[in-house]
Amino acid sequence: MLEGKAVVRETDMPEEMQSRVMELAYQALDLHEVSDCQSIAHFIKQKFDEAYGAAWHCVVGKDFGSCISHLCGTFIFFHVEMMEFLIFKDGNDFSETKEEAVGVLQKAKKNDS
């Protein structure tokens, strides 16, 4: 489990929804191995689909890039220690969408002993 505080990098989500997704991230990290990003992402996506309707997407990991379109008010990109979380809702109404480009690259630490 990761013990760090969630830090929001970028979002347009309402505060209540932000709190919920970060709470779910902590729950997912408690339930799954930190290295099992797919299960962590699936857990968050499933819970958000249940709470806010279908078409949510969740990307979890330490090294990824993305370029997405999302419904306004449904985007958050945050991290807990070295684990990054990208959650957004897709939709058919393109007048209500916004494009975002997000990239994460974490270099391995070198031991200079």
Side-chain angles (χ1 to χ4, degrees):
M1 179 181 122
L2 296 176
E3 298 288 334
K5 182 179 185 279
V7 177
V8 176
R9 292 178 180 262
E10 194 167 340
T11 188
D12 69 353
M13 260 184 196
E15 290 282 333
E16 182 180 314
M17 197 179 284
Q18 289 180 45
S19 297
R20 180 67 181 139
V21 76
M22 288 186 262
E23 177 185 311
L24 289 171
Y26 286 119
Q27 288 176 15
L29 291 166
D30 283 342
L31 293 170
H32 304 284
E33 293 293 322
V34 174
S35 60
D36 190 0
C37 295
Q38 186 173 356
S39 293
I40 293 167
H42 182 262
F43 177 84
I44 295 168
K45 182 215 179 335
Q46 182 179 28
K47 296 296 186 185
F48 253 53
D49 281 349
E50 290 169 6
Y52 303 106
W56 285 91
H57 302 274
C58 182
V59 181
V60 177
K62 295 180 180 179
D63 185 7
F64 63 87
S66 70
C67 183
I68 62 160
S69 293
H70 63 88
L71 288 174
C72 293
T74 67
F75 170 82
I76 189 166
F77 179 49
F78 67 97
H79 67 94
V80 178
E81 290 186 12
M82 302 300 280
M83 187 67 70
E84 304 285 344
F85 296 81
L86 171 63
I87 296 95
F88 62 97
K89 188 170 186 173
D90 189 11
N92 294 329
D93 185 356
F94 292 108
S95 66
E96 297 291 324
T97 63
K98 183 177 176 186
E99 189 173 291
E100 300 283 351
V102 173
V104 178
L105 176 61
Q106 297 178 357
K107 296 180 182 181
K109 293 182 182 176
K110 295 181 182 178
N111 291 335
D112 298 319
S113 328

